[in-house]
Amino acid sequence: MNDKFAKLDDSKQRQIINAAYREFTSETYKKASTNRIVEEAGIGKGMLFYYFKSKQKLFLYLVERSLAAAIRYIEEIDWDIPDVISRYEQASRKKLEAFLEDPESFYFLGSILLNDLDSLPEEQRQQILHMQQQTKERMFSGIDYSLFRSDVDPETALKLILWSINGYEQDLMARLKGETFQHINMTSYWDEFHHYLQTLRTVYYKGDECDGNG
Amino acid sequence: MNDKFAKLDDSKQRQIINAAYREFTSETYKKASTNRIVEEAGIGKGMLFYYFKSKQKLFLYLVERSLAAAIRYIEEIDWDIPDVISRYEQASRKKLEAFLEDPESFYFLGSILLNDLDSLPEEQRQQILHMQQQTKERMFSGIDYSLFRSDVDPETALKLILWSINGYEQDLMARLKGETFQHINMTSYWDEFHHYLQTLRTVYYKGDECDGNG
DNA sequence: CGCTTATCGACCACTCTGGTCAATCATATT
DNA sequence: AATATGATTGACCAGAGTGGTCGATAAGCG
């Protein structure tokens, strides 16, 4: 927000931003404490109000920052892939990329979406609502249902696939939470993920069908 | 805890208990406010400390109460069913029964498990850890893997099945959250659930196989 | 040196905290 | 009617924590 803040070393900026992210993630806006933020950031109380003028403005800065990052990642996704498993695979990878690049920002936005939408300014709330609605549309339109095996209801299969992928995402993020390193051997996780997706294809897509027509 | 409290009308007891549950669910133990509890329960401040002697004791009462309910439900589950989908179906139904019978208690315990294990007395923490470990064992032992189709890795399939069922559970609980009535037409939801489970069977279990041996 | 900008933390008025207790109210017993 | 007993209240307490300010420095730079 303030140019004073923008002129700081990146590492100092991160210190402060991360401390603020964490505080606003574990507490609602109202209950978040600027005292704890400055304490964890390792700066004097006055500096926070020197950089950002108030708790409100600091919060707004964080919201805009994390929201911009989220939108950036979502826009990178190719939503036109008809093979829905490939589409979700790609979306999951982007999501996890975003998580790895800035976990604090990721958790912050998630926590707001879940618990504290009310404390957002109208503009940002609208922006988020729009983003959510648009994502929902892109998730479910243009799916090539002809790939699905014919003896299960496609809508049912789609939900089961989505829940499965969400389950893997959550599992992986929980495992990754401890790791501090930036880009650990993600390839092994991607292999693992791919294996799960291959299994989903095996069971939900028509394979080398044996329907008696041969 | 206190017999004074036990002598109240059930409805008054519930008023107080639910107010307390909700407060301790939305805040950690430390930040939960007895003022807000008495306000929402509609009683004078003094009464809370007349019934329970302190915030600590009130909290302990809630923990013991919700933990006992959870254990009661878990013990009702038949963990010996070899068909893992049937086993999980039954477990899910019990879980949802517990949720419907006392949502506040359910959410309270869940919130503690997730966010605030530290504020538990040692005894209860051990009890919970034991319960979790035992449940995990019962979830994964004695499974009849011969039911699974042979062209997918059974462990992989098992995880995907579990994630799918968890997904449905969460989806259903989110939909049910609004409803206030005690026992709404659960049958339609069970039918729906059964349909999903049947699909899981179709895709992950060996069906009328056509492996060319006929 | 002087001038500007960065930095701190004591301080302010205020809200909220868990817990207490003298004062009531209700009810039953005598 | 008088008394005793228990239920119930909310004003009150000392202490902790709140967002925010500001005078006092320290640091950088000419």
Side-chain angles (χ1 to χ4, degrees):
Chain A
M1 196 66 195
N2 198 315
D3 39 6
K4 303 282 171 49
F5 181 68
K7 278 176 198 149
L8 289 176
D9 315 352
D10 278 9
S11 76
K12 193 114 197 175
Q13 282 192 40
R14 278 237 70 95
Q15 255 180 52
I16 298 169
I17 286 183
N18 281 352
Y21 269 144
R22 280 194 280 267
E23 179 67 16
F24 282 116
T25 300
S26 64
E27 307 291 334
T28 57
Y29 169 75
K30 202 183 168 195
K31 283 173 214 142
S33 156
T34 53
N35 287 343
R36 280 193 294 262
I37 292 174
V38 298
E39 190 186 0
E40 205 196 325
I43 60 174
K45 179 84 175 281
M47 290 316 287
L48 194 69
F49 292 86
Y50 180 60
Y51 297 141
F52 312 90
K53 298 192 55 167
S54 67
K55 186 183 175 182
Q56 276 251 22
K57 294 226 172 73
L58 166 62
F59 183 68
L60 186 61
Y61 173 81
L62 297 178
V63 169
E64 285 174 342
R65 194 178 177 284
S66 61
L67 196 48
I71 290 175
R72 203 181 318 127
Y73 273 102
I74 290 175
E75 291 306 324
E76 278 180 16
I77 298 170
D78 179 2
W79 294 101
D80 297 326
I81 304 175
D83 174 353
V84 78
I85 293 183
S86 294
R87 188 192 299 181
Y88 292 168
E89 170 179 21
Q90 208 216 157
S92 281
R93 291 172 81 126
K94 289 291 173 196
K95 191 168 161 186
L96 274 152
E97 267 179 42
F99 166 71
L100 286 172
E101 183 184 299
D102 196 343
E104 283 82 5
S105 166
F106 189 91
Y107 284 133
F108 169 75
L109 197 57
S111 147
I112 297 243
L113 288 182
L114 198 63
N115 311 314
D116 208 16
L117 263 176
D118 298 335
S119 63
L120 288 178
E122 192 55 26
E123 187 188 335
Q124 277 72 21
R125 185 158 61 242
Q126 289 304 329
Q127 209 174 343
I128 286 180
L129 258 53
H130 176 70
M131 178 181 89
Q132 286 182 317
Q133 196 206 327
Q134 201 183 33
T135 302
K136 201 168 191 175
E137 280 170 24
R138 289 157 147 187
M139 291 253 300
F140 297 111
S141 62
I143 294 175
D144 181 4
Y145 285 110
S146 75
L147 294 169
F148 286 52
R149 53 191 284 176
S150 42
D151 59 344
V152 303
D153 169 44
E155 290 301 330
T156 304
L158 187 61
K159 286 211 165 181
L160 291 170
I161 289 170
L162 200 51
W163 288 331
S164 302
I165 292 179
N166 279 343
Y168 179 76
E169 265 181 22
Q170 286 173 29
D171 188 278
L172 181 52
M173 281 180 53
R175 276 187 284 159
L176 251 41
K177 200 168 180 175
E179 319 279 337
T180 41
F181 318 119
Q182 204 66 0
H183 285 103
I184 1 140
N185 50 342
M186 264 302 125
T187 53
S188 74
Y189 292 118
W190 293 142
D191 288 352
E192 186 188 56
F193 188 32
H194 200 73
H195 174 66
Y196 281 112
L197 295 174
Q198 269 316 114
T199 304
L200 287 178
R201 283 198 177 85
T202 304
V203 302
Y204 288 109
Y205 281 3
K206 24 171 86 111
D208 13 298
E209 297 212 58
C210 44
D211 54 9
N213 284 348
Chain B
M1 194 71 196
N2 199 315
D3 40 5
K4 302 283 171 47
F5 181 69
K7 278 176 198 151
L8 289 176
D9 314 353
D10 277 8
S11 77
K12 193 117 199 176
Q13 281 193 38
R14 278 237 69 94
Q15 255 181 52
I16 298 169
I17 286 184
N18 282 350
Y21 269 143
R22 280 194 280 267
E23 179 67 16
F24 282 116
T25 300
S26 65
E27 307 292 333
T28 57
Y29 169 75
K30 202 183 166 194
K31 282 172 214 139
S33 156
T34 53
N35 287 343
R36 281 193 295 262
I37 292 174
V38 298
E39 188 185 0
E40 206 197 322
I43 60 175
K45 179 86 176 282
M47 290 316 286
L48 195 68
F49 292 86
Y50 180 61
Y51 297 141
F52 312 91
K53 298 194 56 167
S54 68
K55 187 184 176 183
Q56 276 252 22
K57 294 227 172 74
L58 165 61
F59 183 68
L60 186 61
Y61 173 80
L62 297 178
V63 170
E64 285 174 342
R65 194 179 178 283
S66 62
L67 196 48
I71 290 175
R72 204 182 316 128
Y73 273 103
I74 290 175
E75 291 306 324
E76 279 180 16
I77 298 170
D78 179 2
W79 295 100
D80 297 326
I81 304 176
D83 174 353
V84 77
I85 292 182
S86 294
R87 189 192 299 182
Y88 292 167
E89 171 179 19
Q90 208 216 154
S92 281
R93 290 172 82 127
K94 289 290 172 194
K95 191 168 161 185
L96 274 152
E97 267 179 42
F99 167 70
L100 286 172
E101 183 186 298
D102 195 342
E104 284 83 3
S105 166
F106 189 91
Y107 284 133
F108 169 75
L109 198 57
S111 148
I112 296 245
L113 287 181
L114 200 62
N115 311 315
D116 208 16
L117 262 177
D118 298 336
S119 64
L120 288 178
E122 191 55 26
E123 186 188 333
Q124 277 73 22
R125 185 158 63 241
Q126 289 306 329
Q127 209 175 341
I128 286 181
L129 258 53
H130 176 70
M131 177 181 89
Q132 286 181 315
Q133 196 206 326
Q134 201 183 33
T135 303
K136 202 167 192 179
E137 280 170 23
R138 288 159 147 186
M139 291 252 301
F140 297 111
S141 62
I143 295 174
D144 182 3
Y145 284 110
S146 75
L147 294 168
F148 286 53
R149 54 191 284 176
S150 42
D151 59 344
V152 303
D153 169 45
E155 290 301 330
T156 303
L158 187 61
K159 286 209 167 181
L160 290 170
I161 289 171
L162 200 51
W163 287 330
S164 302
I165 293 179
N166 280 343
Y168 179 76
E169 265 180 22
Q170 285 173 30
D171 188 278
L172 181 52
M173 280 179 52
R175 277 188 282 160
L176 251 42
K177 200 169 179 175
E179 319 278 338
T180 41
F181 318 120
Q182 203 67 357
H183 285 104
I184 2 142
N185 50 341
M186 265 302 124
T187 53
S188 74
Y189 292 117
W190 292 141
D191 286 352
E192 186 188 53
F193 188 33
H194 200 73
H195 175 66
Y196 280 111
L197 294 174
Q198 268 317 112
T199 306
L200 287 178
R201 283 198 177 85
T202 305
V203 302
Y204 288 109
Y205 280 3
K206 18 172 92 109
D208 14 298
E209 296 212 59
C210 43
D211 54 10
N213 283 348

